[in-house]
Amino acid sequence: MHEGPSVPVDPGPPAPRRARARFGVVLVCAAVAVACAVGVVLLWRVFVETWAGQRVEDAALDGAAIGQGHLWRIASPLLDVVSVGFVAGGLLTAAAVALVRRRLSLAVQVAVLVGGANLTTRICKEWVFERPLLGVGADYGNTLPSGHTTAAGSVAAALLLVAPPRARPLVAVLGVGYTALTGISTLVGQWHRPSDVVAATLVVLGWTALVCGAMAARRGSTATATAALRRVDPADRSWVRTRRTALAMAVVGAASGVAAGALLARTWAYRAGTAGREGELLAYGGGVASVVAACSLTFALMLLLRHAAGSRDETPSASG
């Protein structure tokens, strides 16, 4: 009986190399999580514990009152959506997508992400961080990190984790937009200061990194194309879209970060004087730019971490 020519099957890299790649992803995820924790503490130390930091953010808070009437008509409905029911609904949706894709472990992981991020924000705000009275503005107590931004960002991150590879770039872009709009809306309503929102995005990124690290550390019977970035075929369409989307978000984040730094630096330089309308607008603009930068950069990182971590229980043909 004549048999046709056999098609060689790529067995993939040997087990030791796969283990090293998996360990590398775990280390990167752990480093990102630690950096996020350090970043939240630094934001609190600079903008909450010091008079200068409070003065700069108080100017941004006052600047939010300019044009607030028109902007609040847009911001208020957006903030009204964010609630306990919203978080529960978002989590159930993400879990349902994971179960439809037959990823029971992923459903558990997104529950850990959403629950962990929102609980961390609550604990930090209520019991870990305090806002000293330094004679700057009204005493609203500690508001870092922002609960609304954490809720919006954690639900968006959960959907990013459960989305199939082809859909992840779009989900990441939508997540940036929704989280940034929620964060900016809290500034418009004078509910939060810029550092509160930026700290919330770091909390979400930190928990996403932990979940992706756990995902990469999980041993599976088969290797996947997303076990390590270096193994992904550069011509793979999903990887190309992921790479381009992450790069675009990083560029937007970097540009916004430069703008935020320039505006806030000017406010910082004249913090001892009367801010005035122009100074308040500059501080407010810097705060908005910092929110856009934080959301863009964190979701770019989350997209790359999700792609790198992959899912350890998938077949080689179903990457991620």
Side-chain angles (χ1 to χ4, degrees), residues 5-33:
S6 61
V7 179
V9 177
D10 181 11
R17 188 183 302 176
R18 291 200 302 267
R20 287 195 299 270
R22 183 167 57 237
F23 183 66
V25 174
V26 172
L27 282 181
V28 170
C29 290
V32 171

Side-chain angles (χ1 to χ4, degrees), residues 7-310:
V7 179
V9 177
D10 181 11
R17 188 183 302 176
R18 291 200 302 267
R20 287 195 299 270
R22 183 167 57 237
F23 183 66
V25 174
V26 172
L27 282 181
V28 170
C29 290
V32 171
V34 171
C36 289
V38 172
V40 172
V41 174
L42 286 177
L43 284 169
W44 173 70
R45 290 294 299 271
V46 173
F47 291 102
V48 179
E49 269 210 323
T50 67
W51 177 87
Q54 285 194 14
R55 183 70 183 88
V56 169
E57 289 213 305
D58 188 63
L61 200 66
D62 291 339
I66 302 172
Q68 186 181 56
H70 299 288
L71 294 174
W72 186 242
R73 285 196 288 269
I74 301 173
S76 180
L78 186 63
L79 292 176
D80 289 340
V81 172
V82 182
S83 61
V84 174
F86 166 80
V87 174
L91 177 56
L92 289 175
T93 300
V97 173
L99 292 175
V100 167
R101 297 187 64 209
R102 299 180 181 180
R103 305 286 182 263
L104 178 59
S105 61
L106 194 54
V108 175
Q109 288 163 346
V110 295
V112 171
L113 163 62
V114 174
N118 286 278
L119 184 60
T120 297
T121 287
R122 179 77 180 203
I123 291 174
C124 288
K125 184 187 298 186
E126 300 292 338
W127 293 291
V128 176
F129 297 142
E130 295 181 355
R131 186 177 184 85
L133 298 178
L134 302 177
V136 179
D139 179 20
Y140 297 113
N142 178 60
T143 55
L144 184 148
S146 164
H148 277 73
T149 307
T150 301
S154 62
V155 169
L159 293 174
L160 173 63
L161 259 62
V162 301
R166 293 181 180 180
R168 284 177 200 152
L170 176 60
V171 174
V173 171
L174 294 176
V176 169
Y178 181 65
T179 306
L181 285 174
T182 301
I184 293 171
S185 294
T186 66
L187 301 186
V188 171
Q190 296 178 304
W191 291 10
H192 282 286
R193 303 168 180 90
S195 63
D196 302 345
V197 179
V198 175
T201 64
L202 292 179
V203 170
V204 174
L205 174 59
W207 275 97
T208 303
L210 289 175
V211 169
C212 286
M215 189 184 302
R218 183 169 176 263
R219 291 184 176 274
S221 58
T222 58
T224 69
T226 57
L229 291 178
R230 65 183 180 189
R231 291 192 55 229
V232 178
D233 182 356
D236 179 78
R237 292 183 179 180
S238 295
W239 169 230
V240 170
R241 285 194 295 268
T242 296
R243 185 175 58 206
R244 289 177 177 174
T245 302
L247 178 60
M249 290 191 295
V251 170
V252 172
S256 301
V258 170
L263 293 173
L264 292 177
R266 183 170 180 180
T267 307
W268 192 283
Y270 296 101
R271 62 191 180 277
T274 303
R277 187 182 181 89
E278 180 182 355
E280 291 172 354
L281 276 175
L282 288 175
Y284 182 42
V288 171
S290 67
V291 171
V292 175
C295 291
S296 299
L297 292 174
T298 53
F299 271 88
L301 267 174
M302 284 190 276
L303 180 60
L304 292 176
L305 290 177
R306 175 61 181 97
H307 189 88

